[in-house]
Structure formats: structure tokens, C-alpha cells
């Protein structure tokens, strides 16, 4: 990570876990542990919709920020089961995960809808974390860079340079998510550097240098320091390990020291 030019961000992605009392308990445990990250590393918990209000109230006055795990692109209307960006900002939510591979795999999310959600989030003042990454067979057939470049171009279509600086990119190789199989630090660095080079082509070098690019996929207390030591890995999007306060904190501390 290069903290002199861009923000380091460690974000938990809780997925479909935790009731409200459990969410409060976990955040109460995390808060004091990560208090020393203030001004050095941004710490975020992305939680299920039902936990958002509880989470925002629980972290009030601390350096922990709250994110949602998805957002719809329309402002309101007949979209049963969906949540708008205004509904999130009204609660006090600041971040939102968009285009997670589980949304792409199981819920028909496409680059087109990822792009629409990203623009809607930015228009409402939310900071989107856009997830990209290749499937195992795409890596094995040698098209990782083509896949990532395509996702970046489509997902960020029509997003201004000013807005892309407010956007976080999470490189999450799908084969590493929830599998215990982490990309090596070199693989993560190679992909994150490629994403930055792609951003430099789409925008300009200064813009690309300012964007926080996270790695995600089985990042844990044991491997975080090595991954975060890489120049283009500016943080992590953490699934399983974000559900344990001590493990999540170890990752935050690795980022503080990185
Ligand atoms: P994992 O999930 O850390 O459990 O692999 C990462 C993610 O899906 O964001």
C-alpha cells in the first residue's frame, strides 16, 4: 500500500450473517480494538440491510464506518425487495459493496447493473466498492487480465474521474472467495497493478494513483501482512475473518503497520 497517495481501507463483508444483537456485540468488540487506526486506515463494516441502523448507532463516535452490501439503481418505485441509495444515506450509511461475485453468480448481477448501481450510489453520495475478479477457469485459460479489464471498463462506464476517486475497487478472484485458497501476494499485486494501469488508460495516471484497490478472497490474520505489503494492494475486503473481532483487528493492525 502507498498511504502517501491513497487511503488504506480494511472492510468487513459480513454477507448474510448476524442478527441485530449479534451485530451490536461484534461491533462493540471491534471498536476499541481498531481505535488506533484513526487517521491511518479506514475501517468499515458492510452489514446486512437489517443490521444497518443498529450498526450505525453502535459505531457512532468511533472511527468505524458502516457500509451496505448492495444498492438498487432506481430512486424508488416498483422494485420489490430492493433498497435505494437514498434509503441508505438516510440511515447514515457511507459505503456500499457493488457487484460482489456472489451477486453476479447467484443473483444475475451483470456489468450493466453493476454500472447502474455504481452511478446511483455516487449520485447519492455513497462511496461504492466495486468488486471485480476472474473465475478459476478464466485464470487457468490465461484470460484474467481480459476479464478484469472488461469488468473495469463496463462497471465504470460513464463514471467521471472525480467520482472514480471516491470509488474503491476490490480485486476478488472468485476462486479465492470463501475457499481458504488465497491468491499469493504476487498474484494479488499483479492483478491490482493491472487494474491501476487500466484505470490510468481510462482516466489518467494521477487519477489511477488516487484510487484505493483492495484485495479480497480468504484474506485472514495470517496472510494479511504479506498481501498488504504490496505496493498496489491498498487494503482488504474481508469475508469470513471479519466475523471474528480478533482476526479482523489483526488485519487492521497489519494495515496500520503496512
Ligand atoms: P472471504 O470473502 O474472505 O470469506 O473469502 C471475501 C469476500 O467475499 O469479500
Amino acid at each position: 500500500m502507498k498511504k502517501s497517495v491513497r487511503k488504506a481501507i480494511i472492510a468487513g463483508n459480513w454477507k448474510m450473517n448476524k442478527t441485530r444483537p449479534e451485530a451490536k456485540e461484534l461491533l462493540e468488540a471491534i471498536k476499541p480494538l481498531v481505535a488506533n487506526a484513526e487517521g491511518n486506515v479506514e475501517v468499515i463494516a458492510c452489514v446486512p440491510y437489517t443490521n444497518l441502523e443498529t450498526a450505525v448507532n453502535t459505531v457512532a463516535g468511533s472511527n468505524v464506518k458502516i457500509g451496505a452490501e448492495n444498492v438498487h439503481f432506481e430512486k424508488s418505485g416498483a422494485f420489490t425487495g430492493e433498497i435505494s441509495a437514498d434509503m441508505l444515506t438516510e440511515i447514515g450509511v457511507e459505503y456500499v459493496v457493488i457487484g460482489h461475485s456472489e451477486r453476479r453468480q447467484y443473483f444475475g448481477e451483470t456489468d450493466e447493473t453493476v454500472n447502474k448501481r455504481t452511478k446511483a450510489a455516487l449520485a447519492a453520495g455513497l462511496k461504492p466498492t466495486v468488486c471485480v475478479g476472474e473465475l478459476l477457469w478464466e485464470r487457468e485459460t490465461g484470460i484474467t487480465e481480459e476479464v478484469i479489464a472488461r469488468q473495469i471498463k463496463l462497471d465504470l462506464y460513464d463514471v467521471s474521474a472525480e467520482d472514480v476517486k471516491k470509488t474503491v475497487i476490490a480485486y476478488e478472484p472468485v476462486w479465492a472467495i470463501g475457499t481458504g485458497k488465497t491468491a499469493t501476494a504476487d498474484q494479488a499485486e499483479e492483478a491490482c497493478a493491472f487494474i491501476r494501469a487500466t484505470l490510468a488508460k481510462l482516466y489518467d495516471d494521477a487519477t489511477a494513483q488516487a484510487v484505493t484497490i483492495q484485495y479480497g478472497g480468504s484474506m485472514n490474520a495470517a496472510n494479511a501482512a504479506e498481501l498488504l505489503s504490496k505496493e498496489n494492494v491498498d487494503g482488504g475486503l474481508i469475508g469470513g475473518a471479519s466475523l471474528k473481532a480478533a482476526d479482523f483487528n489483526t488485519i487492521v493492525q497489519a494495515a496500520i503497520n503496512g
Side-chain angles (χ1 to χ4, degrees):
M1 43 178 59
K2 237 181 170 178
K3 287 185 203 155
S4 52
V5 286
R6 50 192 174 254
K7 202 188 281 181
I9 303 178
I10 299 295
N13 173 16
W14 289 12
K15 311 193 179 185
M16 195 173 72
N17 291 293
K18 304 290 176 192
T19 61
R20 285 182 304 163
E22 289 167 352
K24 189 168 172 13
E25 191 183 339
L26 179 55
L27 288 167
E28 292 288 12
I30 288 171
K31 268 195 307 183
L33 297 175
V34 304
N36 66 333
E38 185 144 27
N40 186 325
V41 174
E42 186 109 307
V43 180
I44 307 168
C46 298
V47 307
Y49 288 136
T50 49
N51 291 341
L52 287 172
E53 192 169 5
T54 302
V56 166
N57 291 336
T58 306
V59 303
S62 81
N63 58 314
V64 179
K65 314 271 190 222
I66 298 302
E69 298 177 14
N70 195 11
V71 63
H72 196 256
F73 39 84
E74 294 294 347
K75 281 192 93 60
S76 64
F79 301 100
T80 303
E82 292 290 333
I83 301 287
S84 75
D86 290 343
M87 292 173 183
L88 298 177
T89 55
E90 190 273 330
I91 293 178
V93 171
E94 293 179 53
Y95 284 88
V96 61
V97 176
I98 295 176
H100 190 277
S101 65
E102 286 149 18
R103 302 281 336 154
R104 295 178 190 256
Q105 260 184 303
Y106 307 134
F107 301 101
E109 195 80 59
T110 65
D111 288 310
E112 187 187 0
T113 55
V114 171
N115 176 247
K116 284 177 159 181
R117 291 180 203 271
T118 302
K119 286 192 283 197
L122 286 161
L126 286 167
K127 293 174 205 148
T129 295
V130 176
C131 304
V132 299
E134 79 288 1
L135 303 171
L136 182 58
W137 70 278
E138 290 170 333
R139 176 164 283 269
E140 284 172 352
T141 49
I143 61 163
T144 296
E145 291 192 346
E146 283 160 68
V147 171
I148 298 172
R150 181 188 154 90
Q151 289 174 329
I152 292 285
K153 284 178 196 165
L154 295 175
D155 297 353
L156 298 179
Y157 171 71
D158 207 19
V159 172
S160 69
E162 197 191 320
D163 273 348
V164 87
K165 288 185 199 162
K166 299 175 199 153
T167 304
V168 175
I169 308 291
Y171 168 61
E172 297 209 315
V174 180
W175 48 271
I177 295 176
T179 56
K181 223 177 166 187
T182 323
T184 64
D186 286 340
Q187 284 172 325
E189 168 63 12
E190 198 182 353
C192 291
F194 176 75
I195 290 169
R196 203 175 305 286
T198 304
L199 292 172
K201 274 193 213 151
L202 290 174
Y203 298 92
D204 56 71
D205 194 48
T207 302
Q209 286 299 329
V211 176
T212 296
I213 303 177
Q214 299 173 318
Y215 169 78
S218 300
M219 193 189 266
N220 58 38
N223 60 27
E226 196 191 352
L227 287 159
L228 295 169
S229 73
K230 295 294 178 182
E231 180 178 330
N232 287 288
V233 180
D234 306 313
L237 184 58
I238 326 292
S242 73
L243 298 171
K244 294 178 203 130
D247 287 8
F248 186 61
N249 177 48
T250 302
I251 299 169
V252 171
Q253 299 306 318
I256 292 171
N257 298 325

